[in-house]
């Protein structure tokens, strides 16, 4: 993204020049005097601790100010004699009306505050669908099927191979049965079969884990961008599980990979109006009917990245679910850049010159994603960042704008606000750019990289596979905050912030159960096959 980068922030250039290393044959290279000094590590470390101390000072400033005040009051009360206490009591008796009025106002204010607070939304549990082993697609198999279908020319086959080698996907991702056939069989019937398999698979596990009956669910939201049959996918679920007749059901289509967060936000709004209710959110994408059989390179990329998957999430606003819930929803922030034509058209479903339907990706996609992220975190930052980071950000901004100082924009340290990051596994480039521009560590983006490697881009459900990865690693502690962030067509960037209600043990059943010990794995820059 160049200087703009994700969030529109400048990225410092790395200093060039190695002082030691090895050659291609593993032979040590003699150190050459470059005339440059090593960085002053002591000064760098000291600066790190100065910033950390500043952060703690600002965070606990109110407490530090209240402690001397409370000590002073305690000392003054300790010095008071019986006569002083009696005089204070007589003074309050003569001002009984004032005391009663103040007390009434205090009670009224507290009541208004409590009644106006948003109704808490709890994530009781969720389930991610894991297809059977016969759905797996190896790289050689993928290329062989692409060649045998007879739809791609040699250049398109070579291009797909190149994308696969650099995609960051492993060889255990899944494709639906219709695309394993030769020739492929992408019909509406097989697309329905895929939708039923992934959605019902995730829902069966969710109802089993939570003990909630389908008839207890009052709100159902399903999001699938490219497959929207009649009756809808939400109606398909209602019919399968014989849900109640007054259920509020919604089917979100055409909203891209960030629709999972949109569904969560919609469920949150409805749960503010409907008390003591359960809401189920199902996020998926359909691969069967949206495979591209043409030679337009901008439309071939989704074939190499998208894979089958789904997630089902149970939300509740019942006070009784607080103790068993895994997470509480803290914030949702939605950003839409569709008013700009280039943003609107950067991910576009259309037909190529030969009438083949596909989704084209613009070459400006990463820059557009960066601009959308900039807008999103500008709104999200003040809601989640500690005061210390906000003061630094606005101080640097003021220096740049008011005094015209040539300073680099200050990149807030989001690791002070979040313990875990679920970055949509849309592709290796997306994860790389967010890691670099938000100054995240390899561990912060580990869940995203491993999800992309193991399951591929499962669209709106990918952020749930990532959350499941962290739980399977035993990393989720009580009070931890999680940032889920996803990008989608339109163009949209959406965020959801959760807080862990308790320390979570690795789940007995989940998409990572049988393979978590093998991760993380080293993902090569280019995987040759």
């Amino acid at each position: 993204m160049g200087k703009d980068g994700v969030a529109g922030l400048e990225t410092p250039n790395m200093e060039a020049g190695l002082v030691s290393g090895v050659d291609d044959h593993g032979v040590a290279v003699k150190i050459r005097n470059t005339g440059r000094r090593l960085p002053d590590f002591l000064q760098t470390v000291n600066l790190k601790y100065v910033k950390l101390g500043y952060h703690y000072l600002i965070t606990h400033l109110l407490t530090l100010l209240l402690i001397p005040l409370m000590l002073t009051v305690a000392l003054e009360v300790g010095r008071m004699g019986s006569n002083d206490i009696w005089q204070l009591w007589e003074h309050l008796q003569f001002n009984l009306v004032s005391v009663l009025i103040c007390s009434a106002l205090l009670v009224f204010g507290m009541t208004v505050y409590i009644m106006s607070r948003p109704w808490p939304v709890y994530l009781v549990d969720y389930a991610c669908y894991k297809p059977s082993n016969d759905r797996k697609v190896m790289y050689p198999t993928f290329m062989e099927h692409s060649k045998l279908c007879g739809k791609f020319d040699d250049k398109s086959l070579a291009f797909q191979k190149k994308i696969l080698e650099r995609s960051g996907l492993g060889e255990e991702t899944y494709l639906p049965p219709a695309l394993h056939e030769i020739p492929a069989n992408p019909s509406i019937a097989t697309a329905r079969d895929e939708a039923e398999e992934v959605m019902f698979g995730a829902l069966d596990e969710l109802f089993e884990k939570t003990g909630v009956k389908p008839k207890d669910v009052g709100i159902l939201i399903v999001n699938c961008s490219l497959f929207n049959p009649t009756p809808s996918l939400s109606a398909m679920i209602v019919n399968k599980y014989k849900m109640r007749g007054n259920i509020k059901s919604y089917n979100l289509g055409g909203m891209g990979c960030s629709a999972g967060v949109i569904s969560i936000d919609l469920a949150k709004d409805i749960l503010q109006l409907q008390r003591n209710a359960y809401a189920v959110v199902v996020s998926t994408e359909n691969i069967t009917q949206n495979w591209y059989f043409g030679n337009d390179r901008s439309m071939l990329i989704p074939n190499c990245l998208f894979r089958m998957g789904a997630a089902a999430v149970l939300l509740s606003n019942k006070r009784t679910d607080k103790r068993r819930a895994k997470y509480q929803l803290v914030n949702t922030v939605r950003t839409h850049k569709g008013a700009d034509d280039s943003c609107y058209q950067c991910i576009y479903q259309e037909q190529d010159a030969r009438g083949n339907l596909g989704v084209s990706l613009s070459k400006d996609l990463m820059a557009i994603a960066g601009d959308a992220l900039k807008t999103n975190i500008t709104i999200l930052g003040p809601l989640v960042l500690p005061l210390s980071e906000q003061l630094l950000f606005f101080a640097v901004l003021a220096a740049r704008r008011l005094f015209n100082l040539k300073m680099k924009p200050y990149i807030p340290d989001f690791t002070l606000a979040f313990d875990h990051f679920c970055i949509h596994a849309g592709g290796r480039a997306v994860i790389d750019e967010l890691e670099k521009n938000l100054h995240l560590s390899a561990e912060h983006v580990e869940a995203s990289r491993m999800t992309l490697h193991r399951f591929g881009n499962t669209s709106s459900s990918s952020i749930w596979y990532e959350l499941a990865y962290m739980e399977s690693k035993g990393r989720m502690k009580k009070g931890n905050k999680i940032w889920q962030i996803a990008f989608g067509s339109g163009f949209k960037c959406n965020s959801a912030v959760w807080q862990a209600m308790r320390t979570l043990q690795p789940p007995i059943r989940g998409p990572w159960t049988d393979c978590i010990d093998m991760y993380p794995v080293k993902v090569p820059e280019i995987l040759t096959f």
Side-chain angles (χ1 to χ4, degrees), residues 318-385:
K318 299 182 179 183
R319 299 286 186 184
T320 54
D321 284 323
K322 182 177 181 180
R323 296 188 66 180
R324 70 164 180 157
K326 285 187 171 183
Y327 306 96
Q328 181 175 347
L329 184 61
V330 179
N331 295 108
T332 54
V333 174
R334 293 168 54 181
T335 304
H336 205 306
K337 308 293 287 186
D340 185 279
D341 290 342
S342 60
C343 295
Y344 173 72
Q345 296 174 357
C346 72
I347 302 176
Y348 204 81
Q349 186 179 27
E350 59 185 344
Q351 291 177 315
D352 64 13
R354 295 190 176 184
N356 297 302
L357 186 65
V359 177
S360 63
L361 304 181
S362 168
K363 61 181 181 180
D364 299 323
L365 177 59
M366 293 304 296
I368 290 170
D371 184 59
L373 178 61
K374 173 185 176 181
T375 305
N376 190 271
I377 65 175
T378 299
I379 301 171
L380 181 67
L383 301 175
V384 298
L385 286 171

Side-chain angles (χ1 to χ4, degrees), residues 47-68:
L47 183 61
K48 172 186 174 182
Y49 286 107
V50 166
K51 182 180 177 181
L52 191 61
Y54 160 76
H55 165 66
Y56 281 116
L57 174 64
I58 297 299
T59 302
H60 303 288
L61 182 61
L62 184 60
T63 303
L64 294 174
L65 292 176
L66 283 176
I67 289 175

Side-chain angles (χ1 to χ4, degrees), residues 405-460:
L405 297 179
K406 293 183 178 180
M407 302 173 62
K408 293 181 178 179
Y410 179 71
I411 303 176
D413 187 355
F414 281 92
T415 61
L416 295 175
F418 303 112
D419 301 284
H420 307 286
F421 297 80
C422 295
I423 301 168
H424 166 52
R428 170 179 265 171
V430 175
I431 301 171
D432 287 347
E433 288 299 324
L434 264 72
E435 177 185 8
K436 179 176 67 175
N437 288 278
L438 293 181
H439 295 175
L440 303 179
S441 67
E443 185 175 350
H444 288 138
V445 298
E446 180 184 313
S448 300
R449 289 196 191 282
M450 297 306 103
T451 296
L452 181 65
H453 181 270
R454 178 64 183 81
F455 294 98
N457 181 352
T458 60
S459 190
S460 56

Side-chain angles (χ1 to χ4, degrees), residues 23 56-57 60 62 97 102 104 194 204 212 308 310 321 461 478:
D23 65 10
Y56 281 116
L57 174 64
H60 303 288
L62 184 60
V97 175
C102 291
E194 180 195 349
D204 287 345
V212 173
M308 67 184 298
D321 284 323
S461 64
K478 182 178 179 180

Side-chain angles (χ1 to χ4, degrees), residues 115-357:
M115 294 296 292
S116 62
R117 290 180 64 190
W119 203 257
V121 175
Y122 303 111
L123 191 160
V124 179
D125 213 331
Y126 65 98
C128 299
Y129 179 67
K130 182 180 179 181
S132 57
N133 288 336
D134 62 334
R135 307 287 195 261
K136 288 183 180 179
V137 53
M138 306 286 285
Y139 280 178
T141 304
F142 181 95
M143 293 305 305
E144 183 67 15
H145 284 198
S146 296
K147 183 178 180 180
L148 292 176
C149 79
K151 301 291 185 180
F152 306 110
D153 58 29
D154 291 341
K155 290 184 177 180
S156 294
L157 290 171
F159 178 73
Q160 290 183 78
K161 185 175 185 293
K162 182 178 179 181
I163 293 297
L164 281 175
E165 291 174 339
R166 295 162 172 78
S167 65
L169 273 70
E171 296 196 83
E172 294 194 0
T173 59
Y174 304 93
L175 284 176
L179 298 179
H180 283 278
E181 298 179 17
I182 300 175
N185 182 26
S187 65
I188 191 168
T190 53
R192 283 183 185 274
D193 290 341
E194 180 195 349
E196 291 177 355
E197 178 185 337
V198 298
M199 293 193 306
F200 297 166
L203 285 167
D204 287 345
E205 182 180 338
L206 179 69
F207 290 136
E208 181 182 341
K209 290 167 68 174
T210 60
V212 173
K213 298 178 181 178
K215 286 189 178 294
D216 295 334
V217 177
I219 303 159
L220 173 64
I221 303 172
V222 181
N223 65 266
C224 181
S225 188
L226 295 175
F227 182 58
N228 294 285
T230 300
S232 66
L233 297 179
S234 59
M236 188 185 297
I237 294 173
V238 172
N239 176 260
K240 162 70 175 178
Y241 294 97
K242 308 304 177 188
M243 292 177 161
R244 64 198 201 195
N246 64 344
I247 190 171
K248 291 180 171 62
S249 65
Y250 301 85
N251 201 93
L252 306 183
M255 305 195 78
C257 299
S258 66
V261 178
I262 295 175
S263 297
I264 294 294
D265 184 62
L266 176 59
K268 178 196 71 174
D269 290 342
I270 300 173
L271 286 171
Q272 298 306 308
L273 304 174
Q274 186 172 334
R275 300 297 172 91
N276 294 316
Y278 283 123
V280 167
V281 171
V282 179
S283 297
T284 187
E285 191 52 83
N286 195 278
I287 308 298
T288 298
Q289 243 192 343
N290 296 285
W291 201 256
Y292 175 62
F293 293 98
N295 295 291
D296 189 321
R297 289 193 175 188
S298 66
M299 297 184 182
L300 284 170
I301 297 175
N303 284 12
C304 302
L305 298 179
F306 281 86
R307 297 294 184 265
M308 67 184 298
V313 184
L314 179 65
L315 303 175
S316 171
N317 59 8
K318 299 182 179 183
R319 299 286 186 184
T320 54
D321 284 323
K322 182 177 181 180
R323 296 188 66 180
R324 70 164 180 157
K326 285 187 171 183
Y327 306 96
Q328 181 175 347
L329 184 61
V330 179
N331 295 108
T332 54
V333 174
R334 293 168 54 181
T335 304
H336 205 306
K337 308 293 287 186
D340 185 279
D341 290 342
S342 60
C343 295
Y344 173 72
Q345 296 174 357
C346 72
I347 302 176
Y348 204 81
Q349 186 179 27
E350 59 185 344
Q351 291 177 315
D352 64 13
R354 295 190 176 184
N356 297 302
L357 186 65

